Amino acid sequence: MATFKEFLRVAEITVKDKTSGKRMKEIRQILAKHHAMSGLTPEKAVAILEDLGPTYVKIGQIASNRSDLLPKGYCDAFEKLRADVPPMPFDTVVECLETSFDASWQTVFSSIEEKPLGSASIAQVHKATLHDGTVVAVKVRRPGIAQEMAEDITLIKHLIALAEFSNMAPDNLMLTIDDLVSELERTTAEELDFTIELENLKRFHEEIKDQQGVTSPLPYPEYSTDRVLVMEYVTGTLLDNKKRLQDLGKNLPAIGERIAQSYVTQVIDDGFFHADPHPGNIMVNDDGIVWIDLGMTGTLTSSERAIVGKVFRGVALNDPYALKEALLSLAKADGPVDHGMLLEQMGGMLDTYASADLSDINIGMAFVDVIEILRTQNLSLPPSFTMLARGFLTLEGVLTDIAPSINVVDIVSVHVKKQMWTLSYLEGKAQELFTSTAASAEAMATLPSQLSRTLDMLDRGQLKVAMDMKLPHDVKGTLYQVASLLALALISAGLFVGSSIVCTTPMQPQIFDVPLLGALGYLGAFVLGVYVIVRAVAIRHQQVNDEKIK
């Protein structure tokens, strides 16, 4: 049954929802078409998003990177969504350009091709030429898409509140959905602002400049705005056109090796990586590979990169404690954490990987497994780490298709070992050593006074110790049984001793020259003694035969 709080939430969102009733009617029809009220599955969710339109498809694609918030089945299903949509009319593109430049498009470009190079839910790309003859790619944001996506997110909030109210979605999905929607709002806001992608392009191009045979389009900031992004026009064949690459005589294993080396360098060495490395975002030409579409990137600080290294080393050394400590230094707790159970889960996962061949280990899947374990303990990792997990998962899928012999684990291991001898890493370790040494010295200096105060409190009776032992029900039941038998044995012994004392007196009434009270006491002691012995033998029998103690 829905709670009053859930009812109020639905009412609040309904009041704030200013979208048209027509759109709500369309959504209701789509939900009815897919029988959403009878239950929601990953496959059904994908079909609903596709029918709702390109904005919802884009939201589903973004959601596929949040395996810390959504169950793995939903993330895998959402990853299959595609956001290709019919292109905007060229007149609309021209209007968008002139509105953005506040001038005629001819003031910037000498020509623009009417046929788009590609069209997606947020923007479409056209080939154009600057007045100096430079060929560029122009990415134009669809008009009204920002407002449309904001309204659609509000509608999603409304639908989620209704789903929670009517209990039509799984509980594990509902528990994390608020965090997901907040993340969607942040991510879509970034994707809609092309100045952010412009900065991503600039930084990414600078970071990979030393990677041989790897590049990305250069942006043109002087011609770009928040709604128009002008960048270098690159030619080549997309990686998803495998047959074309084979016809051109490209060495696919060599391409796969270069892609893997580049991606691991981005993550481990640079801490700035392409968050969506699917085949449609990687181009191959005579110069090597070109990373395109930098709308979604991930960032790791130097300390986070060091922790990623610790995670990999924990897996490599089969050390569940090191893995647990590394992850806890990053994770955010949203509820109680059973540290013993978490350590046991980490150990179980590592045992699985320890029995597998190195070439069979999938880093992306290992990351996803870790995230799933953390979710069971009310722990979540920063978005950059969940993006990293999905990134590796996507990358390894690409390599399986074009170069299955490449072992990403080996490449990561080499980069992690190399990083251990860099100046920044050694400085970090020295700082950690200094900090821990200083903390230990301070603790040692205060230990005598703390111990003295503790003993003083103990002497005065001011010290209290509280314990909370969480034991399984079977163990508790056994302890209760033993305690009960012990109490009955003491009562039996007490009756026997007491009866013996009574029998030495001339207490009346008597039976066979023995005080009646003493005789009854002996009888009670005998009965209790026999019962205790029988129960003790029965418990021992159940224990030896591994039976449940009753």
Side-chain angles (χ1 to χ4, degrees):
M1 293 293 292
T3 64
F4 184 66
K5 181 180 178 181
E6 291 168 349
F7 173 77
L8 289 179
R9 186 181 177 208
V10 173
E12 179 186 3
I13 295 176
T14 302
V15 171
K16 291 181 179 178
D17 187 0
K18 304 300 182 183
T19 50
S20 67
K22 179 182 177 182
R23 181 59 171 155
M24 284 297 296
K25 182 179 179 181
E26 292 174 358
I27 291 174
R28 284 196 297 269
Q29 290 174 344
I30 291 170
L31 292 176
K33 170 187 171 184
H34 293 281
H35 307 288
M37 295 299 291
S38 63
L40 197 62
T41 64
E43 295 73 21
K44 190 181 291 187
V46 168
I48 290 172
L49 289 175
E50 287 176 338
D51 282 357
L52 286 173
T55 303
Y56 284 85
V57 168
K58 187 65 180 177
I59 290 171
Q61 289 177 322
I62 295 169
S64 70
N65 286 308
R66 295 313 312 270
S67 53
D68 62 324
L69 298 178
L70 282 176
K72 180 177 177 295
Y74 285 87
C75 292
D76 291 341
F78 289 164
E79 203 173 41
K80 300 172 185 176
L81 288 164
R82 291 291 175 261
D84 295 331
V85 297
M88 295 184 286
F90 186 66
D91 290 342
T92 304
V93 173
V94 169
E95 182 181 349
C96 292
L97 288 172
E98 295 185 343
T99 301
S100 183
F101 294 147
D102 198 21
S104 171
W105 65 267
Q106 285 94 344
T107 60
V108 178
F109 309 108
S110 61
S111 65
I112 301 178
E113 291 189 1
E114 290 193 17
K115 184 179 179 180
L117 298 171
S119 178
S121 56
I122 289 179
Q124 68 185 45
V125 182
H126 289 259
K127 183 179 179 181
T129 306
L130 299 175
H131 287 294
D132 63 1
T134 303
V135 180
V136 295
V138 184
K139 188 174 183 179
V140 183
R141 192 176 75 191
R142 290 178 177 271
I145 190 67
Q147 180 180 353
E148 179 184 335
M149 292 193 79
E151 291 177 349
D152 282 342
I153 288 176
T154 300
L155 282 172
I156 288 176
K157 288 182 177 180
H158 200 158
L159 293 172
I160 289 168
L162 289 171
E164 192 173 21
F165 181 74
S166 61
N167 293 320
M168 77 173 189
D171 290 340
N172 60 346
L173 180 61
M174 292 286 86
L175 288 174
T176 57
I177 206 71
D178 286 336
D179 287 338
L180 175 62
V181 173
S182 298
E183 178 65 18
L184 290 178
E185 286 184 291
R186 183 189 66 80
T187 309
T188 52
E190 290 180 358
E191 287 217 355
L192 289 166
D193 186 354
F194 287 172
T195 60
I196 294 176
E197 185 173 350
L198 172 69
E199 294 302 317
N200 289 343
L201 283 167
K202 289 164 62 177
R203 179 178 176 183
F204 192 82
H205 194 275
E206 180 65 21
E207 297 278 10
I208 65 172
K209 67 180 181 181
D210 294 329
Q211 296 184 26
Q212 186 177 2
V214 180
T215 187
S216 64
L218 266 172
Y220 289 83
E222 62 271 30
Y223 306 123
S224 301
T225 68
D226 63 331
R227 290 176 286 182
V228 175
L229 178 60
V230 181
M231 67 193 110
E232 179 185 3
Y233 177 74
V234 291
T235 58
T237 304
L238 289 175
L239 195 63
D240 58 6
N241 195 345
K242 182 179 175 181
K243 186 177 184 306
R244 172 66 176 165
L245 292 172
Q246 290 173 329
D247 292 342
L248 292 172
K250 297 295 183 182
N251 187 338
L252 295 185
I255 292 171
E257 174 74 21
R258 184 169 291 176
I259 291 171
Q261 289 285 357
S262 174
Y263 196 75
V264 174
T265 299
Q266 294 169 35
V267 173
I268 303 296
D269 300 342
D270 301 332
F272 183 69
F273 57 93
H274 198 303
D276 194 18
H278 67 76
N281 283 339
I282 304 172
M283 189 175 285
V284 181
N285 57 25
D286 293 337
D287 297 324
I289 64 169
V290 184
W291 294 93
I292 61 175
D293 194 356
L294 272 294
M296 194 181 298
T297 59
T299 304
L300 299 173
T301 65
S302 58
S303 61
E304 288 174 336
R305 293 204 306 275
I307 292 172
V308 170
K310 290 180 181 178
V311 169
F312 283 126
R313 284 193 291 276
V315 174
L317 298 174
N318 194 23
D319 187 344
Y321 183 80
L323 178 61
K324 170 179 170 287
E325 291 303 303
L327 292 169
L328 286 178
S329 63
L330 289 166
K332 180 185 73 172
D334 301 314
V337 179
D338 187 335
H339 290 272
M341 179 62 72
L342 178 60
L343 185 61
E344 183 180 338
Q345 290 172 309
M346 292 294 175
M349 186 195 74
L350 291 181
D351 287 342
T352 302
Y353 288 118
S355 61
D357 291 333
L358 197 64
S359 58
D360 295 331
I361 295 178
N362 184 303
I363 290 180
M365 188 57 67
F367 263 115
V368 172
D369 288 344
V370 166
I371 291 170
E372 285 292 302
I373 289 174
L374 293 178
R375 286 182 70 247
T376 65
Q377 294 294 333
N378 302 307
L379 293 166
S380 60
L381 291 173
S384 56
F385 277 81
T386 56
M387 294 175 78
L388 179 63
R390 303 304 294 188
F392 267 115
L393 206 58
T394 304
L395 176 72
E396 286 171 318
V398 170
L399 296 177
T400 299
D401 186 43
I402 66 169
S405 61
I406 291 177
N407 187 353
V408 180
V409 176
D410 281 341
I411 297 174
V412 169
S413 299
V414 170
H415 281 261
V416 169
K417 290 176 182 176
K418 189 193 306 179
Q419 191 186 49
M420 292 176 64
W421 296 105
T422 61
L423 181 61
S424 60
Y425 178 81
L426 294 175
E427 286 177 349
K429 294 304 289 183
Q431 186 176 2
E432 284 182 22
L433 179 61
F434 176 78
T435 303
S436 60
T437 302
S440 299
E442 183 180 355
M444 287 295 293
T446 59
L447 180 60
S449 60
Q450 289 177 340
L451 182 59
S452 176
R453 286 195 295 269
T454 301
L455 292 174
D456 187 46
M457 292 173 65
L458 184 61
D459 185 54
R460 296 180 183 181
Q462 297 173 335
L463 189 64
K464 294 182 180 179
V465 178
M467 296 180 65
D468 183 13
M469 297 178 63
K470 295 183 178 180
L471 299 173
H473 288 294
D474 289 347
V475 175
K476 287 182 179 179
T478 304
L479 290 176
Y480 287 142
Q481 291 271 10
V482 172
S484 299
L485 290 180
L486 182 59
L488 290 176
L490 290 174
I491 293 172
S492 175
L495 284 174
F496 182 81
V497 173
S499 298
S500 298
I501 294 172
V502 169
C503 287
T504 61
T505 69
M507 181 182 292
Q508 295 296 329
Q510 293 187 353
I511 182 172
F512 302 113
D513 296 328
V514 176
L516 179 60
L517 185 60
L520 292 175
Y522 277 129
L523 179 62
F526 175 77
V527 171
L528 286 176
V530 171
Y531 177 77
V532 168
I533 292 171
V534 171
R535 284 296 301 146
V537 171
I539 290 174
R540 177 60 179 167
H541 174 78
Q542 291 166 348
Q543 183 184 24
V544 168
N545 292 279
D546 198 23
E547 298 176 359
K548 184 177 179 182
I549 296 176
K550 300 178 181 179

